[in-house]
Amino acid sequence: MRIGIAADELGTATHVLRHWEDEGVVVPDRTPAGHRDYTDEHLRRLRIVQACRRVGLSLQEIRLVLHRDEAGRDEVITGHLRQIRRRRQELDAIETFLSHVLTCEHDLISRCGSCSAYAEDSRTTDPATVAHGA
């Protein structure tokens, strides 16, 4: 299929597909006339690229992820997993804090030990140390 149809299938712009091709992420076949020719396999790869972009991988990292035997692939994936786990811990702490604030009986949350502890602890870089007030 031509680039316009592939872009429509993916819900993206043709210039994005051209850029991904220029970066060597997904390179379509060419027709005898020189037009890009995307196969079903190319579309599957492009959907994987979109998923990888949504989780924050760069195009350079995606090139590694697409091919199982690429050097550095595992390090890229485990690095992103660490970031996701760290962010999940941060979000859990935020959720606990906000849930507590909803039910906090202090007239000012700055007078609440749990709220104040969260505010103080959230300044640290290690989300695992964030106090979960109850």
Side-chain angles (χ1 to χ4, degrees), residues 50-104:
Q50 287 177 316
C52 289
R53 296 294 290 161
R54 284 192 299 272
V55 299
L57 273 73
S58 70
L59 293 178
Q60 180 180 3
E61 291 169 328
I62 293 169
R63 280 197 309 270
L64 293 174
V65 170
L66 285 175
H67 301 283
R68 183 180 192 122
D69 296 332
E70 289 291 327
R73 178 182 188 262
D74 290 350
E75 290 80 5
V76 166
I77 294 169
T78 56
H80 277 274
L81 284 171
R82 274 193 303 274
Q83 289 175 357
I84 289 167
R85 289 174 182 139
R86 190 170 34 249
R87 185 64 182 142
R88 183 182 296 135
Q89 288 176 329
E90 292 169 358
L91 290 172
D92 286 345
I94 291 166
E95 180 182 15
T96 299
F97 169 68
L98 291 176
S99 294
H100 175 78
V101 169
L102 272 175
T103 61
C104 184

Side-chain angles (χ1 to χ4, degrees), residues 37-51:
D37 186 21
Y38 289 89
T39 64
D40 289 339
E41 173 61 22
H42 289 116
L43 289 179
R44 283 190 293 275
R45 287 184 205 164
L46 289 165
R47 286 187 182 101
I48 295 293
V49 171
Q50 287 177 316

